[in-house]
Amino acid sequence: MSLAMLCRPSHLMSKVSRHLALPSTSSNRLVHLSASDLWTNYEQAKGWLRSKKLPPDIETFGVFCNDRIDMEEVEVYGFDYDYTLASYKKGVEYLIHDIAKEHLVKKYGYPDDIARVVYDPHFAVRGLHYDVEKGLFLKVDSSHQIQLGTVYRGRQKLEDQEVLAMYKRRQLPVTFLESTSSNKKMVQLVDIFSKPEMSLMATVMDYFMKNNLEYQPESLYYDVSTCIGAAHATFHSETRSNPNLYLHRDPELIPWLEKLVQANKKVFLITNSPFETVDAGMTFMVGKQWREFFDVVIVQAGKPHFFTNNAKPFREVDVERKIFLWDTVTTLAKGKIYAGGTIDHFQNLTGWRGGRVMYFGDHPYADLADVTLLHGWHTAAVIRELEMEINKMNTDQFKWGVNWQQVLMALIEDHQGVEGEEARAVINEWKEEVSTIQNSLRSMFNPQFGSTFRSHNNPTYFSRKLFRFSDLYTSRVTNLLSYSLNHSFYPRRGALPHEFKSWFV
């Protein structure tokens, strides 16, 4: 069963209506039902749903499809390193957070108390927007609407009225959400390293507000962002020295790479990380001969500029002397290491183009957007949050809640034209119950912001980009080991709002 099917049981609306013989209404046709009649229909609907089996579990390690892909056509497999081939332990987030907070105190003069704050891995979810000017975290859906109840200044939740007073509207203009270097009203915090960044910003804001200290939200964002960036150098050093402390060793990674090589697939690596970090990590995960699996290895690529042809030319890396060679790169040879480069030069030297290539990355924008939109590569997103979220969705509590919510909304839709004060009060009570269910479902994933992928019934802004820029998505690259290299992935046909509802769509 696919990820979205459980979240969108639209067939229930027509099915329960047929079962209960609910009268069809429109906005200009009132239904003369008493409050007692409404509650009778309510209990019948709940009884009907209880008589049904809960949906089957979603495959935790499944591969999910946004577009039809015939894997038989893919001849070249490319990979990012961080959070794609390399799966980091939670300790990395603590490390990044703690290095950054030390930089805030020592290099930017923040109060000494900031050096003692503790990382909270449960505060934020990936894909939130941060309003640089107002200093707010907020969750936005695929229609650019703010999800009310998920707007925070630090860890202080803002009331809906305050949010609407500030923004004057729920739907944000695209110029706010798609920030540029000259117009950065909001930033979207997309990669895994953003979680310690958001936690640190929230903690510092809380400290300033608690101690009645004035601060500039813009300066706080830029200071924390700079310190998070600076922490990467220490992060690389620590992971090189102690890969066992920070990296998971996936027992299926070697069989996956062997499967590709034995099928005569070409395999390449393009990463922003330096060679020393990649070498230490891949040696730990795969062994000293890891380079034999790859036809081309490119480090310090400077993505996303690599994919927009705004990066520096290729340079061969002398791994023994740890220097870049001055010679012009005229071929990308197996066994050698290269740095920098551009995608056009890469394609010209290798001949690997278009739908023959599939690239795996964890960042829907920096890794996947340009290669699919501009160069026609197939793409696969590696999203580790899927495993946690699917495990939550496989609980009976979630399955019942999401399906009862849909049935209850169908009842409201069919009866919202009722007359009479008591009957209208019942409808309002049902609406309150829907809201309660939605908040309960949201809290199952994250108490503050809910699911990474959903904003109640709509996909999140993050999901919209994920679905647009990736043909496949999964929680780890090795999940494809369970599929044939000739497997055909078919996207599910979903019912559009104007189409009929059926068990079969």
Side-chain angles (χ1 to χ4, degrees), residues 109-114 153 203-217 220:
Y110 278 64
D112 290 342
D113 288 341
I114 300 301
R153 179 179 289 113
T203 301
V204 175
M205 276 188 253
D206 288 343
Y207 177 85
F208 286 153
M209 290 187 292
K210 179 180 178 181
N211 291 279
N212 297 315
L213 299 173
E214 291 189 10
Y215 69 97
Q216 291 182 313
L220 174 60

Side-chain angles (χ1 to χ4, degrees), residues 16 19-20 39-53 400 404 407 411:
V16 71
H19 175 78
L20 299 176
W39 284 118
T40 297
N41 281 343
Y42 173 96
E43 292 299 334
Q44 287 179 344
K46 184 172 282 190
W48 173 84
L49 186 59
R50 283 181 176 143
S51 71
K52 303 300 178 184
K53 290 183 179 180
W400 168 262
W404 173 236
V407 171
L411 285 171

Side-chain angles (χ1 to χ4, degrees), residues 366-413:
D367 289 330
L368 307 181
D370 292 314
V371 296
T372 187
L373 296 179
L374 302 179
H375 302 285
W377 289 9
H378 289 308
T379 52
V382 179
I383 310 294
R384 290 307 298 262
E385 291 90 341
L386 276 171
E387 293 179 15
M388 181 278 288
E389 295 221 1
I390 290 175
N391 285 334
K392 296 288 188 183
M393 293 167 65
N394 284 339
T395 63
D396 288 353
Q397 178 187 354
F398 181 87
K399 291 177 183 180
W400 168 262
V402 77
N403 282 284
W404 173 236
Q405 169 197 243
Q406 295 297 111
V407 171
L408 190 53
M409 287 192 296
L411 285 171
I412 294 170
E413 187 173 8

Side-chain angles (χ1 to χ4, degrees), residues 243-260:
N244 60 307
L245 295 180
Y246 298 106
L247 282 169
H248 292 289
R249 185 185 274 131
D250 188 339
E252 295 187 329
L253 183 55
I254 294 175
W256 166 238
L257 294 172
E258 288 177 339
K259 182 177 182 177
L260 295 178

Side-chain angles (χ1 to χ4, degrees), residues 19-40:
H19 175 78
L20 299 176
L22 300 179
S24 176
T25 69
S26 62
S27 59
N28 59 358
R29 181 180 172 188
L30 301 181
V31 179
H32 300 281
L33 293 177
S34 68
S36 177
D37 293 331
L38 293 177
W39 284 118
T40 297

Side-chain angles (χ1 to χ4, degrees), residues 231-468:
H232 279 65
T234 308
F235 153 71
H236 286 304
S237 176
E238 288 291 329
T239 54
R240 288 196 295 267
S241 301
N242 303 288
N244 60 307
L245 295 180
Y246 298 106
L247 282 169
H248 292 289
R249 185 185 274 131
D250 188 339
E252 295 187 329
L253 183 55
I254 294 175
W256 166 238
L257 294 172
E258 288 177 339
K259 182 177 182 177
L260 295 178
V261 172
Q262 290 167 3
N264 296 317
K265 304 295 184 181
K266 297 297 183 181
V267 184
F268 67 88
L269 175 68
I270 299 178
T271 176
N272 288 349
S273 293
F275 172 74
E276 292 79 11
T277 299
V278 176
D279 186 47
M282 291 299 293
T283 298
F284 171 75
M285 295 184 294
V286 177
K288 293 183 179 180
Q289 306 304 314
W290 68 269
R291 288 158 65 178
E292 295 180 3
F293 288 111
F294 295 87
D295 296 279
V296 176
V297 177
I298 299 169
V299 298
Q300 294 175 259
K303 297 178 297 179
H305 302 298
F306 180 95
F307 294 131
T308 57
N309 292 306
N310 291 320
K312 298 177 181 179
F314 280 121
R315 303 286 293 273
E316 184 181 340
V317 180
D318 186 324
V319 297
E320 300 298 329
R321 293 189 291 165
K322 299 181 180 180
I323 62 171
F324 293 170
L325 301 180
W326 60 268
D327 312 57
T328 301
V329 174
T330 58
T331 184
L332 297 176
K334 184 171 183 175
K336 294 186 177 181
I337 306 298
Y338 302 91
T342 65
I343 190 170
D344 279 355
H345 198 190
F346 174 83
Q347 292 183 124
N348 290 337
L349 292 177
T350 62
W352 301 336
R353 300 176 185 276
R356 298 172 54 211
V357 184
M358 174 169 280
Y359 186 70
F360 292 74
D362 71 292
H363 197 302
Y365 309 168
D367 289 330
L368 307 181
D370 292 314
V371 296
T372 187
L373 296 179
L374 302 179
H375 302 285
W377 289 9
H378 289 308
T379 52
V382 179
I383 310 294
R384 290 307 298 262
E385 291 90 341
L386 276 171
E387 293 179 15
M388 181 278 288
E389 295 221 1
I390 290 175
N391 285 334
K392 296 288 188 183
M393 293 167 65
N394 284 339
T395 63
D396 288 353
Q397 178 187 354
F398 181 87
K399 291 177 183 180
W400 168 262
V402 77
N403 282 284
W404 173 236
Q405 169 197 243
Q406 295 297 111
V407 171
L408 190 53
M409 287 192 296
L411 285 171
I412 294 170
E413 187 173 8
D414 284 338
H415 294 86
Q416 59 188 332
V418 293
E419 297 176 323
E421 186 176 340
E422 291 186 358
R424 293 299 307 161
V426 172
I427 299 298
N428 290 333
E429 190 171 338
W430 289 356
K431 290 180 178 180
E432 287 295 324
E433 184 176 354
V434 167
S435 179
T436 299
I437 295 170
Q438 289 179 333
N439 290 332
S440 175
L441 293 173
R442 184 187 74 193
S443 297
M444 290 181 67
F445 301 104
N446 177 280
Q448 292 76 232
F449 302 102
S451 167
T452 299
F453 305 96
R454 273 203 175 272
S455 175
H456 293 326
N457 292 323
N458 293 336
T460 58
Y461 194 84
F462 173 81
S463 287
R464 175 186 176 184
K465 298 293 187 178
L466 172 66
F467 301 155
R468 176 67 182 89

Side-chain angles (χ1 to χ4, degrees), residues 42-234:
Y42 173 96
E43 292 299 334
Q44 287 179 344
K46 184 172 282 190
W48 173 84
L49 186 59
R50 283 181 176 143
S51 71
K52 303 300 178 184
K53 290 183 179 180
L54 292 174
D57 284 353
I58 303 165
E59 174 53 51
T60 305
F61 302 105
V63 177
F64 307 100
C65 174
N66 295 318
D67 196 6
R68 175 174 174 173
I69 297 292
D70 292 315
M71 297 300 289
E72 185 178 13
E73 299 176 358
V74 179
E75 302 172 6
V76 184
Y77 286 74
F79 300 94
D80 183 27
Y81 175 71
D82 291 312
Y83 285 101
T84 302
L85 290 176
S87 175
Y88 290 106
K89 298 178 180 178
K90 274 290 182 184
V92 165
E93 296 178 22
Y94 286 86
L95 176 66
I96 294 287
H97 176 275
D98 291 349
I99 296 169
K101 73 181 183 183
E102 293 291 337
H103 284 320
L104 278 179
V105 174
K106 294 179 179 178
K107 296 186 177 181
Y108 289 86
Y110 278 64
D112 290 342
D113 288 341
I114 300 301
R116 292 186 284 274
V117 302
V118 178
Y119 174 52
D120 178 6
H122 306 296
F123 168 64
V125 298
R126 183 147 63 131
L128 297 180
H129 278 80
Y130 178 72
D131 190 317
V132 177
E133 296 178 347
K134 296 180 175 65
L136 300 177
F137 298 101
L138 41 85
K139 185 177 177 183
V140 180
D141 72 11
S142 58
S143 299
H144 302 181
Q145 292 190 97
I146 301 169
Q147 182 178 351
L148 298 177
T150 65
V151 180
Y152 282 77
R153 179 179 289 113
R155 287 174 177 78
Q156 176 184 334
K157 183 169 73 172
L158 273 63
E159 295 297 327
D160 296 348
Q161 295 82 355
E162 185 177 357
V163 174
L164 295 173
M166 282 193 290
Y167 289 103
K168 313 301 181 187
R169 54 198 288 185
R170 278 191 66 190
Q171 189 173 50
L172 298 175
V174 67
T175 52
F176 275 43
L177 300 173
E178 303 286 350
S179 62
T180 63
S181 56
S182 60
N183 177 34
K184 188 168 279 191
K185 294 181 180 294
M186 289 190 180
V187 292
Q188 191 179 13
L189 302 160
V190 178
D191 62 34
I192 297 293
F193 297 124
S194 295
K195 289 185 65 179
E197 181 177 0
M198 289 185 275
S199 176
L200 185 55
M201 278 196 289
T203 301
V204 175
M205 276 188 253
D206 288 343
Y207 177 85
F208 286 153
M209 290 187 292
K210 179 180 178 181
N211 291 279
N212 297 315
L213 299 173
E214 291 189 10
Y215 69 97
Q216 291 182 313
E218 300 99 321
S219 297
L220 174 60
Y221 165 72
Y222 289 114
D223 290 348
V224 172
S225 180
T226 301
C227 291
I228 290 288
H232 279 65
T234 308

